[in-house]
Amino acid sequence: MTTAVLEEVAASRCFGGWQRRYRHSSATLRCAMVFSVYLPPQAESGRVPALYWLSGLTCSDENFMHKAGAQHLAAELGVAIVAPDTSPRGAHVPGDPEGAWDFGHGAGFYLDATQQPWAENYRMHDYVVRELPALIEAQLPIDSRRAISGHSMGGHGALVCALRNPGRYRAVSAFAPISHAIDSPWGQKAFARYLGEGRSAWKEWDACELIASAGERLPLLVDQGEADGFLLAQLQPEKLRQACAAVGHPLRLRVHPAYDHSYYFIASFIDDHLRHHAAALLAP
Amino acid sequence: MTTAVLEEVAASRCFGGWQRRYRHSSATLRCAMVFSVYLPPQAESGRVPALYWLSGLTCSDENFMHKAGAQHLAAELGVAIVAPDTSPRGAHVPGDPEGAWDFGHGAGFYLDATQQPWAENYRMHDYVVRELPALIEAQLPIDSRRAISGHSMGGHGALVCALRNPGRYRAVSAFAPISHAIDSPWGQKAFARYLGEGRSAWKEWDACELIASAGERLPLLVDQGEADGFLLAQLQPEKLRQACAAVGHPLRLRVHPAYDHSYYFIASFIDDHLRHHAAALLAP
């Protein structure tokens, strides 16, 4: 396999660094993909570590970069932020046969599908954990110090990526994650299609299930808004609390009164997450 | 005239305060209008001053609130931010007969039109300077300490609002303003339609022209990106520099290498503007 070329499709100066978008051919997903990256000023004189950010349902690589206000502190800390898209895309990539927003395009759930017709393209876990970092670390001034975070479906993705890949990330956090996907309507719909009806396969992609046998116990920082309309049915942070307590997995779960599921919530607490990640990424 | 009712259409907790949207009937614009407001935590225990933000072509009341990252420091300083829409809206409000994005809906240019069919609705100056603050100061925990800023078409709007209304604003600033609208293609297209072909009427809505006879000399803070694609043809900050120099109007014009016209540019420098406004708004 030859290394894919990163084609720059946008670049804006931002807090002394660069906000960029790249398109490339993904061998894993068998389609063209676009991702966004914020390169802090420190990347002009050396390689920097990166926080990978996984967005939620319906989002693209741009929502976080537009709305989270993360670049300010990332520039100060010297940490890059990489935001992949939320699914494979393109006319030849199958989506939701019913055209819904919670499956298919924009809803890859950061897993590797095993069922047709999705298995050909929907391998977002492999893409996010392996193909994308390899491309970036070969072609951008970013090194292999990695951390991962995300929101909602992307919060689930961040927890699962870290839990399935011991040693690959130095830190992990999440905003309003789907904590127990196999027990949520969003997760059940997606997993039944991407993974088939056998629930044993589902457990390999569920944060609460993975906690029990985790090969490393990276401390989890999780923020959740108490006024989040998806809290009880879809997100269920208490399930994560129970799963962590059962095995002594370190968890800092902060529930914030009156905050909702929006990017206004994320923006309000992103600095705490950036500092959490930077402490691990920049440790000697 | 009875006071219009503010109907809340959205509310999100944000940095300890509230990000809200309201709909109301505008007597000035003869249509329903929506605006966004960020209320800092201090507004829960007393009245706070407000920065009015005027957005650019194609924007709504939401772009700045989503993308500028201003709430963080506004919450710290105790300053509200009010973002009106960029034009009257609605099926009965005439737009651009050619359907372009630089005139009509989303392109009110913050002036009071005199020509038909626009004169009935396109009175954004009157709305921004009088009707909207009156509504807000009567119904929200915001008092009459006002400052104004904006971007591009909205930077033109902010400068013109301040220059035409001595004593009404305590501070003014702009990002990449259309400095000399009557000498820019955007301004010429809009002014010819909204104000007619007589160029003498245009001068009353042009920042460079108004500088000469300004009734108060509020210091201007203006930021401009040097890689802004609209710099030379549309924005022309050097014209503003010349107009200010000619009469000794205080201007701090900062030209930033490599920055473009996007919200990434605005986000990078919004804190400086907030501190500029807060110093005047919070002065005893």
Side-chain angles (χ1 to χ4, degrees):
Chain A
M1 189 177 90
T2 54
T3 303
V5 173
L6 296 184
E7 176 200 355
E8 185 181 287
V9 293
S12 290
R13 195 85 168 149
C14 183
F15 287 104
W18 286 97
Q19 183 66 49
R20 298 184 188 273
R21 288 186 94 194
Y22 292 97
R23 183 185 292 117
H24 68 96
S25 170
S26 167
T28 305
L29 305 177
R30 301 190 183 189
C31 64
M33 290 295 285
V34 174
F35 68 88
S36 286
V37 58
Y38 176 67
L39 290 168
Q42 294 85 346
E44 294 182 24
S45 55
R47 288 158 73 83
V48 296
L51 170 63
Y52 288 79
W53 172 268
L54 307 183
S55 282
L57 290 165
T58 78
C59 287
S60 74
D61 60 297
E62 290 195 290
N63 301 65
F64 180 83
M65 297 304 188
H66 284 160
K67 295 184 172 180
Q71 293 92 343
H72 190 166
L73 186 56
E76 186 181 317
L77 296 168
V79 172
I81 303 174
V82 177
D85 203 346
T86 54
S87 77
R89 304 266 185 185
H92 70 286
V93 173
D96 190 323
E98 284 105 53
W101 53 270
D102 57 359
F103 183 81
H105 293 188
F109 277 84
Y110 305 102
L111 50 70
D112 295 336
T114 57
Q115 305 298 300
Q116 295 306 335
W118 295 287
E120 292 301 300
N121 306 104
Y122 286 83
R123 303 185 56 78
M124 285 297 291
H125 180 80
D126 199 15
Y127 173 72
V128 163
V129 172
R130 272 171 287 272
E131 186 184 23
L132 183 60
L135 272 175
I136 283 173
E137 291 160 20
Q139 300 186 52
L140 297 179
I142 288 176
D143 63 32
S144 63
R145 291 171 292 170
R146 306 178 199 101
I148 193 161
S149 185
H151 175 230
S152 196
M153 174 183 76
H156 140 80
L159 297 175
V160 168
C161 285
L163 288 164
R164 285 176 63 104
N165 297 279
R168 194 147 183 91
Y169 300 99
R170 293 189 176 202
V172 57
S173 76
F175 287 83
I178 304 172
S179 297
H180 194 26
I182 66 176
D183 193 33
S184 81
W186 282 336
Q188 288 165 354
K189 175 179 176 178
F191 286 16
R193 295 182 183 191
Y194 289 135
L195 303 171
E197 295 293 341
R199 287 178 63 102
S200 63
W202 296 13
K203 293 183 179 178
E204 295 171 34
W205 303 100
D206 180 287
C208 285
E209 297 289 338
L210 292 167
I211 286 281
S213 57
E216 112 188 300
R217 302 229 169 264
L218 280 181
L220 307 183
L221 169 62
V222 176
D223 277 324
Q224 173 65 53
E226 205 167 40
D228 185 325
F230 302 115
L231 177 62
L232 297 179
Q234 304 281 9
L235 307 176
Q236 307 181 85
E238 288 306 319
K239 297 278 175 63
L240 186 65
R241 193 195 297 277
Q242 291 161 19
C244 287
V247 294
H249 194 109
L251 167 68
R252 187 171 180 209
L253 170 60
R254 309 190 302 183
V255 179
H256 303 278
Y259 282 86
D260 64 19
H261 200 63
S262 72
Y263 264 91
Y264 293 123
F265 160 61
I266 297 171
S268 298
F269 299 103
I270 191 66
D271 280 6
D272 293 347
H273 288 243
L274 287 167
R275 292 189 194 283
H276 166 80
H277 292 287
L281 288 169
L282 302 172
Chain B
M1 189 179 90
T2 53
T3 305
V5 174
L6 295 184
E7 175 200 356
E8 185 181 287
V9 293
S12 290
R13 195 84 167 150
C14 183
F15 287 103
W18 286 96
Q19 183 64 50
R20 298 182 188 274
R21 289 186 92 194
Y22 292 97
R23 184 185 291 116
H24 69 95
S25 171
S26 167
T28 304
L29 305 177
R30 302 191 183 188
C31 65
M33 290 295 284
V34 174
F35 68 88
S36 286
V37 58
Y38 177 67
L39 290 168
Q42 295 84 345
E44 294 182 22
S45 55
R47 288 159 73 83
V48 295
L51 170 63
Y52 288 79
W53 173 270
L54 307 183
S55 283
L57 289 166
T58 77
C59 287
S60 75
D61 61 296
E62 289 195 290
N63 302 64
F64 180 82
M65 298 303 189
H66 284 159
K67 295 183 172 181
Q71 292 95 343
H72 190 168
L73 186 55
E76 187 182 316
L77 297 168
V79 171
I81 303 174
V82 177
D85 204 346
T86 54
S87 77
R89 303 267 186 184
H92 70 286
V93 173
D96 190 321
E98 285 106 51
W101 53 271
D102 58 358
F103 183 81
H105 294 188
F109 275 84
Y110 305 102
L111 51 70
D112 295 336
T114 57
Q115 305 298 300
Q116 295 305 335
W118 295 288
E120 293 299 300
N121 305 104
Y122 285 81
R123 303 185 55 79
M124 285 296 291
H125 180 81
D126 199 15
Y127 173 73
V128 163
V129 172
R130 272 170 286 273
E131 185 183 24
L132 183 61
L135 272 175
I136 283 173
E137 291 160 21
Q139 299 185 52
L140 297 178
I142 288 176
D143 62 32
S144 62
R145 290 173 291 171
R146 305 178 200 102
I148 193 160
S149 186
H151 175 231
S152 197
M153 175 185 73
H156 141 81
L159 297 175
V160 168
C161 285
L163 289 164
R164 286 176 62 104
N165 297 279
R168 193 147 183 92
Y169 300 99
R170 293 189 176 202
V172 58
S173 77
F175 288 82
I178 305 172
S179 297
H180 194 25
I182 66 176
D183 194 33
S184 81
W186 282 336
Q188 288 165 353
K189 174 178 176 177
F191 286 16
R193 296 182 183 192
Y194 290 137
L195 304 170
E197 296 292 341
R199 286 177 65 101
S200 64
W202 295 13
K203 295 183 179 178
E204 296 172 32
W205 303 100
D206 180 286
C208 284
E209 296 289 338
L210 291 167
I211 286 281
S213 57
E216 111 189 302
R217 302 228 170 263
L218 280 181
L220 307 184
L221 170 62
V222 176
D223 276 325
Q224 173 65 54
E226 205 167 40
D228 186 326
F230 302 115
L231 177 62
L232 296 179
Q234 304 281 9
L235 306 175
Q236 305 179 89
E238 288 305 318
K239 298 279 176 65
L240 186 65
R241 194 196 296 276
Q242 291 161 16
C244 287
V247 295
H249 194 109
L251 166 69
R252 187 172 179 211
L253 170 60
R254 308 190 302 183
V255 179
H256 303 279
Y259 282 86
D260 63 20
H261 200 63
S262 72
Y263 264 92
Y264 293 122
F265 160 60
I266 297 172
S268 298
F269 300 102
I270 191 66
D271 281 7
D272 293 345
H273 287 243
L274 287 167
R275 292 188 194 284
H276 166 81
H277 291 288
L281 288 169
L282 301 172

